[in-house]
Amino acid sequence: MMKKSNTLIKYIIEGSIVFLSVFLSFYITDVNREKNMKERKNILLKDLSNSMIQDTLQIYSYIAEKEIILKSWSLIRDDIDSNHKILSDDEFFMEYEKGGVGRTFMSRNGIFNQMISTGNIELIENYKLKNNLIEIFNHLRARNESTTNLIDRRVFLVNQPLIDDKFRIKRNLYGEKALTASNKIESYNFNKSFYLSNRFYEMINNSLGYTYYYKALLEEMLTIYRESIILIDLEIKK
């Protein structure tokens, strides 16, 4: 009886050792896998942060550009209100050229898309950061694209051709002759009648409205970009 009892205890001990060994092996494997996934997530977040910093620098420059454009269009509108007593003909065309050239922002979303496709976005522990990234690369990106498409269609397909026609503007196109090509005015013929018309005044107001809205969108994007870069750094340091 004693011998059977000892044998049973031996089996229990050996079984427990085997079970603990297997359990420990699975545990270590899980820990290593979790560690590797976290390291991979942090590498992607670091790359994403660097990309977003570059985007932020672009947004800063675009906001400054929009401020110059707003100043030019506002000055032209004030000149129209004064019956063309503030600006000379040449000064108007200088301001018009500054007001007519504007770049649109496009975010770098390759790394974010990679985080989505690999599931690394779900490993982000900070709920605010995760929501911010989705807001930036989904919702704000869609708003930015729809806004820039609207502005491009209105400015380059409607306003600019009509203004160029009315003022007999000759442009020197640099690069490809695309909607976003950089245009330099070479010659023009001032048309005071059109300049003081309701049609041109409406176009000025539309340009101011589009620029104000797009500048506000860029400022909204800048705020959430800056916050997210800080949150990424905190996430990596966890």
Side-chain angles (χ1 to χ4, degrees):
M1 186 69 179
M2 180 67 74
K3 184 177 181 180
K4 288 183 178 181
S5 177
N6 290 339
T7 302
L8 180 61
I9 292 173
K10 178 182 177 182
Y11 285 154
I12 292 173
I13 293 174
E14 289 177 350
S16 298
I17 292 174
V18 171
F19 172 79
L20 289 174
S21 299
V22 173
F23 175 80
L24 185 61
S25 175
F26 279 118
Y27 174 76
I28 294 174
T29 300
D30 287 341
V31 169
N32 288 335
R33 184 172 64 246
E34 184 177 340
K35 179 182 178 182
N36 291 336
M37 291 173 65
K38 185 175 181 179
E39 288 176 351
R40 177 58 180 166
K41 177 203 70 174
N42 287 345
I43 290 173
L44 288 172
L45 281 176
K46 182 63 177 177
D47 291 341
L48 181 62
S49 176
N50 291 335
S51 177
M52 291 176 67
I53 289 172
Q54 294 302 313
D55 280 349
T56 300
L57 295 176
Q58 284 193 47
I59 294 173
Y60 271 118
S61 69
Y62 291 167
I63 290 175
E65 184 180 80
K66 298 302 174 279
E67 289 173 349
I68 294 173
I69 292 173
L70 287 170
K71 183 178 179 180
S72 293
W73 285 123
S74 296
L75 184 57
I76 291 172
R77 186 172 63 177
D78 290 343
D79 183 55
I80 296 173
D81 289 338
S82 72
N83 200 34
H84 195 37
K85 289 183 172 59
I86 297 175
L87 300 174
S88 68
D89 294 353
D90 289 340
E91 287 172 338
F92 155 66
F93 282 105
M94 288 175 59
E95 295 300 328
Y96 170 63
E97 191 169 34
K98 287 190 291 184
V101 178
R103 297 171 296 169
T104 53
F105 172 71
M106 291 298 294
S107 62
R108 300 172 173 88
N109 63 331
I111 298 174
F112 176 78
N113 288 342
Q114 186 177 351
M115 294 192 72
I116 290 291
S117 63
T118 58
N120 281 281
I121 191 73
E122 300 301 328
L123 299 179
I124 294 176
E125 298 177 21
N126 189 302
Y127 182 77
K128 176 66 173 174
L129 173 58
K130 188 185 300 185
N131 277 356
N132 276 10
L133 294 179
I134 293 173
E135 177 70 16
I136 289 171
F137 294 103
N138 286 346
H139 306 148
L140 285 178
R141 180 180 174 85
R143 282 176 58 194
N144 179 63
E145 288 181 354
S146 63
T147 301
T148 55
N149 287 337
L150 173 63
I151 293 174
D152 285 347
R153 287 196 303 270
R154 186 70 183 179
V155 172
F156 292 104
L157 297 180
V158 179
N159 289 5
Q160 184 172 295
L162 178 60
I163 293 173
D164 285 5
D165 176 65
K166 293 296 184 180
F167 291 107
R168 294 180 64 90
I169 292 174
K170 179 182 177 182
R171 296 179 181 273
N172 183 3
L173 297 178
Y174 291 90
E176 296 182 3
K177 295 184 179 181
L179 292 180
T180 55
S182 176
N183 301 298
K184 183 174 179 59
I185 297 175
E186 288 190 332
S187 63
Y188 46 81
N189 183 17
F190 186 76
N191 182 341
K192 187 174 183 179
S193 175
F194 177 72
Y195 185 69
L196 298 177
S197 69
N198 290 336
R199 180 74 179 96
F200 187 59
Y201 200 81
E202 178 188 8
M203 295 169 74
I204 298 296
N205 282 333
N206 286 339
S207 296
L208 280 167
Y210 290 142
T211 307
Y212 271 121
Y213 177 79
Y214 193 54
K215 178 173 174 286
L217 177 59
L218 289 173
E219 289 171 341
E220 180 182 349
M221 295 173 71
L222 179 61
T223 298
I224 193 170
Y225 261 82
R226 293 173 60 185
E227 180 184 53
S228 298
I229 290 169
I230 294 173
L231 292 176
I232 287 176
D233 186 56
L234 294 175
E235 177 79 14
I236 293 174
K237 290 179 178 179
K238 285 185 178 180

